[in-house]
């Protein structure tokens, strides 16, 4: 029998959607073309083992926002468009 769906299942689904939207590829193909801080957060969202994923959206948010901010700062420092 399969395991019960919980918030970590939703986080997995959200991670897949974000990865596919940003890269046009499935997570199984790797997370490329995404800045490393964001890729690390997304990799944890789609971890194979449910226990390795964020346990709640608040935890995901607490790591995703700083990762996005770091990317935004890097773009501003290199002169890339924001």
């Amino acid at each position: 029998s399969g395991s019960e769906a919980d918030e970590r299942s939703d986080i997995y689904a959200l991670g897949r959607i974000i990865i596919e939207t940003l890269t046009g590829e499935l997570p199984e193909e790797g997370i490329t073309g995404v800045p490393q801080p964001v890729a690390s957060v997304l990799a944890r969202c789609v971890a194979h083992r449910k226990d390795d994923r964020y346990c709640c959206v608040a935890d995901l948010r607490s790591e995703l926002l700083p990762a996005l901010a770091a990317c935004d700062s890097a773009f501003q420092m290199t002169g890339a468009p924001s």
Side-chain angles (χ1 to χ4, degrees), residues 28-41:
E28 295 83 5
E29 298 170 6
I31 304 172
T32 59
V34 177
Q36 185 55 47
V38 176
S40 295
V41 172

Side-chain angles (χ1 to χ4, degrees), residues 2-77:
S3 61
E4 276 189 43
D6 63 10
E7 195 166 358
R8 293 171 295 180
S9 302
D10 294 335
I11 289 169
Y12 177 85
L14 178 61
R16 283 189 68 94
I17 291 167
I18 294 171
I19 292 166
E20 290 178 39
T21 300
L22 293 177
T23 68
E25 298 180 2
L26 299 173
E28 295 83 5
E29 298 170 6
I31 304 172
T32 59
V34 177
Q36 185 55 47
V38 176
S40 295
V41 172
L42 294 175
R44 185 168 173 198
C45 289
V46 297
H48 180 69
R49 290 191 41 204
K50 190 184 271 192
D51 290 340
D52 293 336
R53 297 180 205 146
Y54 295 100
C55 64
C56 64
V57 174
D59 290 349
L60 166 59
R61 181 181 187 273
S62 72
E63 289 195 21
L64 183 57
L65 291 179
L68 292 170
C71 295
D72 186 47
S73 296
F75 285 132
Q76 289 178 5
M77 289 174 29

